[in-house]
mmCIF file of all heavy atoms in Angstrom:
data_model
loop_
_atom_site.group_PDB
_atom_site.id
_atom_site.type_symbol
_atom_site.label_atom_id
_atom_site.label_comp_id
_atom_site.label_asym_id
_atom_site.label_seq_id
_atom_site.Cartn_x
_atom_site.Cartn_y
_atom_site.Cartn_z
ATOM 1 N N GLU A 154 -14.611 9.130 -7.954
ATOM 2 C CA GLU A 154 -14.246 8.611 -6.644
ATOM 3 C C GLU A 154 -12.704 8.661 -6.506
ATOM 4 O O GLU A 154 -12.257 8.302 -5.355
ATOM 5 C CB GLU A 154 -14.773 7.131 -6.422
ATOM 6 C CG GLU A 154 -16.249 7.056 -6.400
ATOM 7 C CD GLU A 154 -16.785 5.753 -5.784
ATOM 8 O OE1 GLU A 154 -15.862 5.050 -5.367
ATOM 9 O OE2 GLU A 154 -17.981 5.543 -5.824
ATOM 10 N N ILE A 156 -9.128 9.430 -5.643
ATOM 11 C CA ILE A 156 -8.497 10.492 -4.762
ATOM 12 C C ILE A 156 -7.103 10.788 -5.285
ATOM 13 O O ILE A 156 -6.273 9.851 -5.103
ATOM 14 C CB ILE A 156 -8.435 9.855 -3.271
ATOM 15 C CG1 ILE A 156 -9.893 9.517 -2.789
ATOM 16 C CG2 ILE A 156 -7.926 10.925 -2.345
ATOM 17 C CD1 ILE A 156 -9.885 8.505 -1.606
ATOM 18 N N GLN A 196 -8.717 3.798 -8.215
ATOM 19 C CA GLN A 196 -7.544 3.833 -7.393
ATOM 20 C C GLN A 196 -6.393 2.960 -8.129
ATOM 21 O O GLN A 196 -6.689 2.031 -8.741
ATOM 22 C CB GLN A 196 -7.768 3.284 -5.984
ATOM 23 C CG GLN A 196 -6.659 3.688 -5.019
ATOM 24 C CD GLN A 196 -6.877 3.292 -3.547
ATOM 25 O OE1 GLN A 196 -7.372 2.137 -3.372
ATOM 26 N NE2 GLN A 196 -6.669 4.222 -2.664
ATOM 27 N N ARG A 199 -1.182 2.941 -3.850
ATOM 28 C CA ARG A 199 -1.637 3.462 -2.521
ATOM 29 C C ARG A 199 -0.491 3.761 -1.748
ATOM 30 O O ARG A 199 0.371 2.892 -1.563
ATOM 31 C CB ARG A 199 -2.545 2.386 -2.013
ATOM 32 C CG ARG A 199 -3.325 2.778 -0.776
ATOM 33 C CD ARG A 199 -4.206 1.573 -0.253
ATOM 34 N NE ARG A 199 -5.228 1.167 -1.109
ATOM 35 C CZ ARG A 199 -5.831 0.032 -1.151
ATOM 36 N NH1 ARG A 199 -5.499 -0.918 -0.328
ATOM 37 N NH2 ARG A 199 -6.857 -0.231 -1.876
ATOM 38 N N THR A 206 -7.300 10.578 9.336
ATOM 39 C CA THR A 206 -7.769 10.922 10.701
ATOM 40 C C THR A 206 -9.074 10.164 10.937
ATOM 41 O O THR A 206 -9.973 10.301 10.015
ATOM 42 C CB THR A 206 -7.846 12.324 10.869
ATOM 43 O OG1 THR A 206 -6.646 12.931 10.472
ATOM 44 C CG2 THR A 206 -8.155 12.750 12.357
ATOM 45 N N VAL A 209 -10.178 3.507 11.815
ATOM 46 C CA VAL A 209 -10.302 2.594 12.857
ATOM 47 C C VAL A 209 -9.830 1.195 12.560
ATOM 48 O O VAL A 209 -9.633 0.368 13.364
ATOM 49 C CB VAL A 209 -11.667 2.527 13.422
ATOM 50 C CG1 VAL A 209 -11.946 3.713 14.345
ATOM 51 C CG2 VAL A 209 -12.694 2.472 12.360
ATOM 52 N N VAL A 210 -9.666 0.911 11.310
ATOM 53 C CA VAL A 210 -9.316 -0.472 10.889
ATOM 54 C C VAL A 210 -7.871 -0.430 10.334
ATOM 55 O O VAL A 210 -7.488 0.666 9.749
ATOM 56 C CB VAL A 210 -10.322 -1.178 10.001
ATOM 57 C CG1 VAL A 210 -11.679 -1.366 10.650
ATOM 58 C CG2 VAL A 210 -10.494 -0.409 8.685
ATOM 59 N N HIS A 211 -7.294 -1.579 10.549
ATOM 60 C CA HIS A 211 -5.782 -1.616 10.032
ATOM 61 C C HIS A 211 -5.867 -1.741 8.445
ATOM 62 O O HIS A 211 -6.595 -2.592 7.979
ATOM 63 C CB HIS A 211 -5.102 -2.795 10.511
ATOM 64 C CG HIS A 211 -4.762 -2.694 11.963
ATOM 65 N ND1 HIS A 211 -3.599 -2.282 12.438
ATOM 66 C CD2 HIS A 211 -5.547 -3.007 13.104
ATOM 67 C CE1 HIS A 211 -3.595 -2.284 13.776
ATOM 68 N NE2 HIS A 211 -4.771 -2.752 14.214
ATOM 69 N N LYS A 214 -1.186 -4.295 4.900
ATOM 70 C CA LYS A 214 0.197 -3.883 4.768
ATOM 71 C C LYS A 214 0.967 -4.566 3.695
ATOM 72 O O LYS A 214 2.070 -4.117 3.315
ATOM 73 C CB LYS A 214 0.931 -4.103 6.046
ATOM 74 C CG LYS A 214 0.371 -3.254 7.275
ATOM 75 C CD LYS A 214 1.125 -3.435 8.569
ATOM 76 C CE LYS A 214 0.331 -2.784 9.658
ATOM 77 N NZ LYS A 214 0.524 -3.465 10.947
ATOM 78 N N LYS A 215 0.379 -5.489 3.023
ATOM 79 C CA LYS A 215 1.048 -6.146 1.902
ATOM 80 C C LYS A 215 0.268 -6.175 0.609
ATOM 81 O O LYS A 215 0.315 -7.098 -0.134
ATOM 82 C CB LYS A 215 1.402 -7.600 2.355
ATOM 83 C CG LYS A 215 2.418 -7.688 3.504
ATOM 84 C CD LYS A 215 3.825 -8.092 2.901
ATOM 85 C CE LYS A 215 4.810 -8.265 3.943
ATOM 86 N NZ LYS A 215 6.238 -8.619 3.378
ATOM 87 N N SER A 216 -0.553 -5.175 0.495
ATOM 88 C CA SER A 216 -1.411 -5.126 -0.688
ATOM 89 C C SER A 216 -0.654 -4.855 -1.985
ATOM 90 O O SER A 216 0.532 -4.273 -1.887
ATOM 91 C CB SER A 216 -2.411 -3.990 -0.502
ATOM 92 O OG SER A 216 -3.035 -3.723 -1.835
ATOM 93 N N GLN A 217 -1.093 -5.381 -3.117
ATOM 94 C CA GLN A 217 -0.443 -5.073 -4.335
ATOM 95 C C GLN A 217 -0.525 -3.575 -4.812
ATOM 96 O O GLN A 217 0.289 -3.105 -5.490
ATOM 97 C CB GLN A 217 -1.195 -5.970 -5.534
ATOM 98 C CG GLN A 217 -1.003 -7.452 -5.233
ATOM 99 C CD GLN A 217 0.443 -7.988 -5.234
ATOM 100 O OE1 GLN A 217 1.243 -7.547 -6.123
ATOM 101 N NE2 GLN A 217 0.765 -8.788 -4.299
ATOM 102 N N HIS A 218 -1.557 -2.897 -4.219
ATOM 103 C CA HIS A 218 -1.715 -1.563 -4.395
ATOM 104 C C HIS A 218 -0.400 -0.689 -3.826
ATOM 105 O O HIS A 218 -0.093 0.343 -4.392
ATOM 106 C CB HIS A 218 -2.910 -0.884 -3.625
ATOM 107 C CG HIS A 218 -4.188 -1.204 -4.373
ATOM 108 N ND1 HIS A 218 -4.562 -0.535 -5.493
ATOM 109 C CD2 HIS A 218 -5.142 -2.146 -4.089
ATOM 110 C CE1 HIS A 218 -5.782 -0.947 -5.917
ATOM 111 N NE2 HIS A 218 -6.176 -2.006 -5.089
ATOM 112 N N ASP A 225 -7.982 -0.434 -9.191
ATOM 113 C CA ASP A 225 -9.490 -0.562 -8.868
ATOM 114 C C ASP A 225 -10.260 0.162 -9.925
ATOM 115 O O ASP A 225 -9.949 1.378 -10.041
ATOM 116 C CB ASP A 225 -9.750 -0.154 -7.491
ATOM 117 C CG ASP A 225 -9.274 -1.183 -6.430
ATOM 118 O OD1 ASP A 225 -8.745 -2.163 -6.831
ATOM 119 O OD2 ASP A 225 -9.288 -0.790 -5.254
ATOM 120 N N ASN A 227 -14.386 0.697 -12.164
ATOM 121 C CA ASN A 227 -15.720 0.177 -12.513
ATOM 122 C C ASN A 227 -15.902 0.097 -14.068
ATOM 123 O O ASN A 227 -15.247 0.919 -14.838
ATOM 124 C CB ASN A 227 -16.794 1.187 -12.034
ATOM 125 C CG ASN A 227 -16.998 0.982 -10.502
ATOM 126 O OD1 ASN A 227 -16.684 1.879 -9.720
ATOM 127 N ND2 ASN A 227 -17.459 -0.242 -10.077
ATOM 128 N N LYS A 234 -23.469 1.524 -14.592
ATOM 129 C CA LYS A 234 -22.236 1.204 -13.799
ATOM 130 C C LYS A 234 -22.318 -0.273 -13.383
ATOM 131 O O LYS A 234 -23.281 -0.603 -12.609
ATOM 132 C CB LYS A 234 -22.123 2.120 -12.662
ATOM 133 C CG LYS A 234 -20.952 1.751 -11.749
ATOM 134 C CD LYS A 234 -21.009 2.864 -10.499
ATOM 135 C CE LYS A 234 -19.932 2.562 -9.574
ATOM 136 N NZ LYS A 234 -19.962 3.603 -8.377
ATOM 137 N N SER A 236 -21.413 -2.182 -10.933
ATOM 138 C CA SER A 236 -20.889 -2.073 -9.490
ATOM 139 C C SER A 236 -20.485 -3.386 -8.886
ATOM 140 O O SER A 236 -20.881 -4.513 -9.447
ATOM 141 C CB SER A 236 -21.892 -1.372 -8.587
ATOM 142 O OG SER A 236 -23.041 -2.201 -8.518
ATOM 143 N N ALA A 237 -19.735 -3.374 -7.815
ATOM 144 C CA ALA A 237 -19.368 -4.664 -7.196
ATOM 145 C C ALA A 237 -20.566 -5.464 -6.771
ATOM 146 O O ALA A 237 -20.641 -6.673 -6.991
ATOM 147 C CB ALA A 237 -18.482 -4.278 -5.883
ATOM 148 N N PRO A 238 -21.722 -4.853 -6.181
ATOM 149 C CA PRO A 238 -22.775 -5.655 -5.860
ATOM 150 C C PRO A 238 -23.483 -6.255 -7.089
ATOM 151 O O PRO A 238 -24.055 -7.431 -7.064
ATOM 152 C CB PRO A 238 -23.669 -4.664 -5.077
ATOM 153 C CG PRO A 238 -23.215 -3.322 -5.268
ATOM 154 C CD PRO A 238 -21.697 -3.536 -5.623
ATOM 155 N N LYS A 241 -21.584 -9.255 -7.681
ATOM 156 C CA LYS A 241 -21.773 -10.245 -6.562
ATOM 157 C C LYS A 241 -23.124 -10.996 -6.807
ATOM 158 O O LYS A 241 -23.188 -12.137 -6.449
ATOM 159 C CB LYS A 241 -21.782 -9.319 -5.261
ATOM 160 C CG LYS A 241 -21.869 -10.136 -3.957
ATOM 161 C CD LYS A 241 -21.576 -9.271 -2.801
ATOM 162 C CE LYS A 241 -22.053 -9.880 -1.475
ATOM 163 N NZ LYS A 241 -23.168 -9.281 -0.939
ATOM 164 N N ASP A 269 -13.127 -13.895 -0.873
ATOM 165 C CA ASP A 269 -13.913 -12.648 -0.553
ATOM 166 C C ASP A 269 -13.878 -11.884 -1.758
ATOM 167 O O ASP A 269 -12.861 -11.270 -2.033
ATOM 168 C CB ASP A 269 -13.434 -11.948 0.698
ATOM 169 C CG ASP A 269 -13.903 -12.499 2.027
ATOM 170 O OD1 ASP A 269 -15.014 -12.904 2.017
ATOM 171 O OD2 ASP A 269 -13.077 -12.530 2.939
ATOM 172 N N ASP A 271 -13.751 -9.319 -4.845
ATOM 173 C CA ASP A 271 -13.404 -7.899 -4.989
ATOM 174 C C ASP A 271 -13.401 -7.574 -6.494
ATOM 175 O O ASP A 271 -12.416 -7.376 -7.099
ATOM 176 C CB ASP A 271 -11.920 -7.777 -4.470
ATOM 177 C CG ASP A 271 -11.459 -6.313 -4.381
ATOM 178 O OD1 ASP A 271 -12.257 -5.453 -4.755
ATOM 179 O OD2 ASP A 271 -10.348 -6.110 -3.962
ATOM 180 N N HIS A 274 -11.323 -5.039 -8.699
ATOM 181 C CA HIS A 274 -9.914 -5.074 -8.542
ATOM 182 C C HIS A 274 -9.210 -5.907 -9.680
ATOM 183 O O HIS A 274 -9.660 -7.013 -9.858
ATOM 184 C CB HIS A 274 -9.533 -5.684 -7.271
ATOM 185 C CG HIS A 274 -8.143 -5.859 -6.901
ATOM 186 N ND1 HIS A 274 -7.390 -5.022 -5.996
ATOM 187 C CD2 HIS A 274 -7.250 -6.839 -7.224
ATOM 188 C CE1 HIS A 274 -6.142 -5.460 -5.920
ATOM 189 N NE2 HIS A 274 -6.048 -6.590 -6.522
ATOM 190 N N ARG B 23 -15.457 9.537 16.979
ATOM 191 C CA ARG B 23 -14.696 8.543 16.100
ATOM 192 C C ARG B 23 -15.214 7.140 16.371
ATOM 193 O O ARG B 23 -15.523 6.834 17.473
ATOM 194 C CB ARG B 23 -13.250 8.600 16.362
ATOM 195 C CG ARG B 23 -12.561 9.726 15.796
ATOM 196 C CD ARG B 23 -11.024 9.901 16.209
ATOM 197 N NE ARG B 23 -10.439 8.567 15.770
ATOM 198 C CZ ARG B 23 -9.155 8.304 16.054
ATOM 199 N NH1 ARG B 23 -8.400 9.167 16.729
ATOM 200 N NH2 ARG B 23 -8.655 7.147 15.714
ATOM 201 N N PRO B 24 -15.328 6.362 15.270
ATOM 202 C CA PRO B 24 -15.826 4.960 15.457
ATOM 203 C C PRO B 24 -14.813 4.206 16.304
ATOM 204 O O PRO B 24 -13.647 4.465 16.393
ATOM 205 C CB PRO B 24 -15.817 4.436 13.997
ATOM 206 C CG PRO B 24 -15.183 5.376 13.141
ATOM 207 C CD PRO B 24 -14.916 6.621 13.899
ATOM 208 N N TYR B 53 -8.567 -7.642 12.654
ATOM 209 C CA TYR B 53 -7.349 -7.692 11.891
ATOM 210 C C TYR B 53 -6.367 -8.599 12.395
ATOM 211 O O TYR B 53 -6.156 -8.740 13.645
ATOM 212 C CB TYR B 53 -6.708 -6.232 11.840
ATOM 213 C CG TYR B 53 -5.329 -6.187 11.408
ATOM 214 C CD1 TYR B 53 -5.029 -6.148 9.983
ATOM 215 C CD2 TYR B 53 -4.323 -6.230 12.196
ATOM 216 C CE1 TYR B 53 -3.787 -6.171 9.532
ATOM 217 C CE2 TYR B 53 -2.921 -6.199 11.784
ATOM 218 C CZ TYR B 53 -2.755 -6.208 10.416
ATOM 219 O OH TYR B 53 -1.434 -6.189 10.000
ATOM 220 N N ASP B 58 -3.094 -9.024 5.733
ATOM 221 C CA ASP B 58 -2.242 -8.027 5.050
ATOM 222 C C ASP B 58 -2.096 -8.069 3.589
ATOM 223 O O ASP B 58 -1.915 -7.155 2.891
ATOM 224 C CB ASP B 58 -0.814 -8.174 5.690
ATOM 225 C CG ASP B 58 -0.654 -7.259 6.919
ATOM 226 O OD1 ASP B 58 -1.516 -6.400 7.149
ATOM 227 O OD2 ASP B 58 0.277 -7.465 7.655
ATOM 228 N N GLU B 61 -6.472 -8.834 -0.713
ATOM 229 C CA GLU B 61 -6.848 -7.527 -1.455
ATOM 230 C C GLU B 61 -8.319 -7.114 -1.135
ATOM 231 O O GLU B 61 -8.480 -5.865 -1.209
ATOM 232 C CB GLU B 61 -6.620 -7.721 -3.001
ATOM 233 C CG GLU B 61 -5.172 -8.052 -3.294
ATOM 234 C CD GLU B 61 -4.221 -6.932 -3.067
ATOM 235 O OE1 GLU B 61 -4.560 -5.724 -2.993
ATOM 236 O OE2 GLU B 61 -3.039 -7.264 -2.766
ATOM 237 N N ALA B 62 -9.145 -8.076 -0.945
ATOM 238 C CA ALA B 62 -10.553 -7.635 -0.717
ATOM 239 C C ALA B 62 -10.631 -6.838 0.620
ATOM 240 O O ALA B 62 -11.239 -5.854 0.783
ATOM 241 C CB ALA B 62 -11.405 -8.805 -0.656
ATOM 242 N N TYR B 63 -9.887 -7.439 1.572
ATOM 243 C CA TYR B 63 -9.764 -6.692 2.940
ATOM 244 C C TYR B 63 -9.160 -5.371 2.738
ATOM 245 O O TYR B 63 -9.668 -4.345 3.262
ATOM 246 C CB TYR B 63 -9.022 -7.548 3.932
ATOM 247 C CG TYR B 63 -8.720 -6.802 5.242
ATOM 248 C CD1 TYR B 63 -9.739 -6.734 6.280
ATOM 249 C CD2 TYR B 63 -7.592 -6.072 5.399
ATOM 250 C CE1 TYR B 63 -9.485 -5.898 7.334
ATOM 251 C CE2 TYR B 63 -7.353 -5.284 6.586
ATOM 252 C CZ TYR B 63 -8.329 -5.290 7.511
ATOM 253 O OH TYR B 63 -8.134 -4.517 8.671
ATOM 254 N N GLY B 64 -8.102 -5.322 1.980
ATOM 255 C CA GLY B 64 -7.308 -4.083 1.880
ATOM 256 C C GLY B 64 -8.147 -2.945 1.150
ATOM 257 O O GLY B 64 -8.188 -1.882 1.565
ATOM 258 N N ASP B 65 -8.977 -3.380 0.091
ATOM 259 C CA ASP B 65 -9.791 -2.406 -0.553
ATOM 260 C C ASP B 65 -10.917 -1.888 0.274
ATOM 261 O O ASP B 65 -11.325 -0.805 0.414
ATOM 262 C CB ASP B 65 -10.368 -3.090 -1.883
ATOM 263 C CG ASP B 65 -9.306 -3.087 -3.015
ATOM 264 O OD1 ASP B 65 -8.159 -2.531 -2.796
ATOM 265 O OD2 ASP B 65 -9.563 -3.687 -4.109
ATOM 266 N N ASP B 68 -9.578 0.409 3.016
ATOM 267 C CA ASP B 68 -9.252 1.702 2.494
ATOM 268 C C ASP B 68 -10.433 2.627 2.306
ATOM 269 O O ASP B 68 -10.546 3.759 2.683
ATOM 270 C CB ASP B 68 -8.542 1.463 1.102
ATOM 271 C CG ASP B 68 -7.893 2.720 0.712
ATOM 272 O OD1 ASP B 68 -6.835 3.139 1.436
ATOM 273 O OD2 ASP B 68 -8.181 3.264 -0.289
ATOM 274 N N PHE B 70 -13.399 1.989 3.811
ATOM 275 C CA PHE B 70 -13.987 2.269 5.106
ATOM 276 C C PHE B 70 -13.240 3.368 5.840
ATOM 277 O O PHE B 70 -13.951 4.296 6.451
ATOM 278 C CB PHE B 70 -14.027 0.964 5.961
ATOM 279 C CG PHE B 70 -14.539 1.101 7.298
ATOM 280 C CD1 PHE B 70 -15.988 1.445 7.419
ATOM 281 C CD2 PHE B 70 -13.779 1.204 8.419
ATOM 282 C CE1 PHE B 70 -16.568 1.596 8.776
ATOM 283 C CE2 PHE B 70 -14.362 1.271 9.734
ATOM 284 C CZ PHE B 70 -15.687 1.588 9.836
ATOM 285 N N ASN B 71 -11.977 3.369 5.899
ATOM 286 C CA ASN B 71 -11.182 4.410 6.573
ATOM 287 C C ASN B 71 -11.450 5.863 5.991
ATOM 288 O O ASN B 71 -11.594 6.732 6.636
ATOM 289 C CB ASN B 71 -9.824 4.139 6.599
ATOM 290 C CG ASN B 71 -9.393 3.047 7.605
ATOM 291 O OD1 ASN B 71 -10.150 2.838 8.627
ATOM 292 N ND2 ASN B 71 -8.341 2.322 7.437
ATOM 293 N N TYR B 72 -11.540 5.766 4.609
ATOM 294 C CA TYR B 72 -11.862 7.110 4.030
ATOM 295 C C TYR B 72 -13.289 7.533 4.376
ATOM 296 O O TYR B 72 -13.405 8.739 4.738
ATOM 297 C CB TYR B 72 -11.799 6.874 2.510
ATOM 298 C CG TYR B 72 -12.085 8.257 1.765
ATOM 299 C CD1 TYR B 72 -11.000 9.109 1.454
ATOM 300 C CD2 TYR B 72 -13.356 8.646 1.415
ATOM 301 C CE1 TYR B 72 -11.120 10.271 0.761
ATOM 302 C CE2 TYR B 72 -13.535 9.883 0.712
ATOM 303 C CZ TYR B 72 -12.499 10.782 0.563
ATOM 304 O OH TYR B 72 -12.577 11.906 -0.145
ATOM 305 N N THR B 74 -14.946 6.839 7.145
ATOM 306 C CA THR B 74 -15.042 7.243 8.711
ATOM 307 C C THR B 74 -14.356 8.581 8.863
ATOM 308 O O THR B 74 -14.684 9.242 9.711
ATOM 309 C CB THR B 74 -14.522 6.116 9.574
ATOM 310 O OG1 THR B 74 -13.165 5.841 9.145
ATOM 311 C CG2 THR B 74 -15.289 4.838 9.566
ATOM 312 N N ALA B 75 -13.271 8.919 8.045
ATOM 313 C CA ALA B 75 -12.590 10.071 8.195
ATOM 314 C C ALA B 75 -13.432 11.171 7.733
ATOM 315 O O ALA B 75 -13.126 12.389 8.234
ATOM 316 C CB ALA B 75 -11.294 10.019 7.418
ATOM 317 N N TYR B 118 -26.073 -3.831 3.694
ATOM 318 C CA TYR B 118 -25.108 -4.295 2.581
ATOM 319 C C TYR B 118 -24.528 -5.548 3.135
ATOM 320 O O TYR B 118 -23.623 -5.594 3.953
ATOM 321 C CB TYR B 118 -24.108 -3.193 2.181
ATOM 322 C CG TYR B 118 -23.391 -3.640 1.058
ATOM 323 C CD1 TYR B 118 -23.750 -3.333 -0.293
ATOM 324 C CD2 TYR B 118 -22.277 -4.480 1.178
ATOM 325 C CE1 TYR B 118 -23.083 -3.727 -1.423
ATOM 326 C CE2 TYR B 118 -21.525 -4.908 -0.013
ATOM 327 C CZ TYR B 118 -21.990 -4.490 -1.329
ATOM 328 O OH TYR B 118 -21.287 -4.928 -2.384
ATOM 329 N N ASP B 119 -24.793 -6.705 2.571
ATOM 330 C CA ASP B 119 -24.350 -7.942 2.943
ATOM 331 C C ASP B 119 -23.101 -8.321 2.247
ATOM 332 O O ASP B 119 -23.146 -9.010 1.271
ATOM 333 C CB ASP B 119 -25.561 -8.975 2.792
ATOM 334 C CG ASP B 119 -25.161 -10.308 3.644
ATOM 335 O OD1 ASP B 119 -24.119 -10.317 4.309
ATOM 336 O OD2 ASP B 119 -26.030 -11.110 3.706
ATOM 337 N N LEU B 123 -16.979 -1.869 -1.339
ATOM 338 C CA LEU B 123 -15.781 -1.580 -2.115
ATOM 339 C C LEU B 123 -15.820 -0.269 -2.863
ATOM 340 O O LEU B 123 -14.870 0.103 -3.576
ATOM 341 C CB LEU B 123 -15.416 -2.783 -3.045
ATOM 342 C CG LEU B 123 -15.336 -4.141 -2.346
ATOM 343 C CD1 LEU B 123 -15.384 -5.280 -3.405
ATOM 344 C CD2 LEU B 123 -13.980 -4.150 -1.648
ATOM 345 N N GLU B 124 -16.987 0.363 -2.801
ATOM 346 C CA GLU B 124 -17.156 1.612 -3.497
ATOM 347 C C GLU B 124 -17.782 2.631 -2.666
ATOM 348 O O GLU B 124 -18.700 2.544 -1.790
ATOM 349 C CB GLU B 124 -18.170 1.373 -4.711
ATOM 350 C CG GLU B 124 -17.458 0.497 -5.736
ATOM 351 C CD GLU B 124 -18.513 -0.410 -6.439
ATOM 352 O OE1 GLU B 124 -19.291 -0.981 -5.797
ATOM 353 O OE2 GLU B 124 -18.450 -0.522 -7.756
ATOM 354 N N ARG B 125 -17.193 3.906 -2.645
ATOM 355 C CA ARG B 125 -17.572 4.945 -1.845
ATOM 356 C C ARG B 125 -19.065 5.369 -1.956
ATOM 357 O O ARG B 125 -19.673 5.654 -0.999
ATOM 358 C CB ARG B 125 -16.701 6.142 -2.123
ATOM 359 C CG ARG B 125 -16.803 7.233 -1.077
ATOM 360 C CD ARG B 125 -16.012 8.426 -1.389
ATOM 361 N NE ARG B 125 -14.696 8.206 -2.173
ATOM 362 C CZ ARG B 125 -14.245 9.103 -2.969
ATOM 363 N NH1 ARG B 125 -14.777 10.211 -3.190
ATOM 364 N NH2 ARG B 125 -13.027 8.781 -3.488
ATOM 365 N N GLU B 126 -19.576 5.287 -3.179
ATOM 366 C CA GLU B 126 -20.952 5.538 -3.477
ATOM 367 C C GLU B 126 -21.936 4.799 -2.650
ATOM 368 O O GLU B 126 -23.035 5.341 -2.278
ATOM 369 C CB GLU B 126 -21.267 5.220 -5.016
ATOM 370 C CG GLU B 126 -22.521 5.791 -5.502
ATOM 371 C CD GLU B 126 -22.797 5.418 -6.978
ATOM 372 O OE1 GLU B 126 -22.364 4.199 -7.285
ATOM 373 O OE2 GLU B 126 -23.533 6.038 -7.595
ATOM 374 N N THR B 144 -28.240 -1.201 -7.974
ATOM 375 C CA THR B 144 -26.777 -1.010 -8.162
ATOM 376 C C THR B 144 -25.956 -0.994 -6.977
ATOM 377 O O THR B 144 -24.856 -1.319 -7.006
ATOM 378 C CB THR B 144 -26.613 0.282 -9.099
ATOM 379 O OG1 THR B 144 -27.165 1.361 -8.352
ATOM 380 C CG2 THR B 144 -27.199 0.190 -10.343
ATOM 381 N N SER B 145 -26.645 -0.594 -5.885
ATOM 382 C CA SER B 145 -25.811 -0.440 -4.585
ATOM 383 C C SER B 145 -25.843 -1.658 -3.857
ATOM 384 O O SER B 145 -24.922 -1.865 -2.971
ATOM 385 C CB SER B 145 -26.382 0.698 -3.694
ATOM 386 O OG SER B 145 -27.666 0.298 -3.236
#
Side-chain angles (χ1 to χ4, degrees):
Chain A
E154 292 196 9
I156 303 162
Q196 196 174 46
R199 187 181 292 159
T206 309
V209 281
V210 297
H211 290 265
K214 293 177 191 154
K215 292 260 185 175
S216 166
Q217 301 296 313
H218 284 285
D225 289 349
N227 285 118
K234 176 181 175 181
S236 60
K241 190 171 160 246
D269 276 324
D271 187 0
H274 178 103
Chain B
R23 282 178 58 184
Y53 169 81
D58 274 342
E61 297 298 333
Y63 172 83
D65 285 350
D68 196 65
F70 178 70
N71 282 336
Y72 183 88
T74 56
Y118 187 89
D119 198 355
L123 302 165
E124 292 146 313
R125 198 187 317 157
E126 188 187 32
T144 56
S145 69

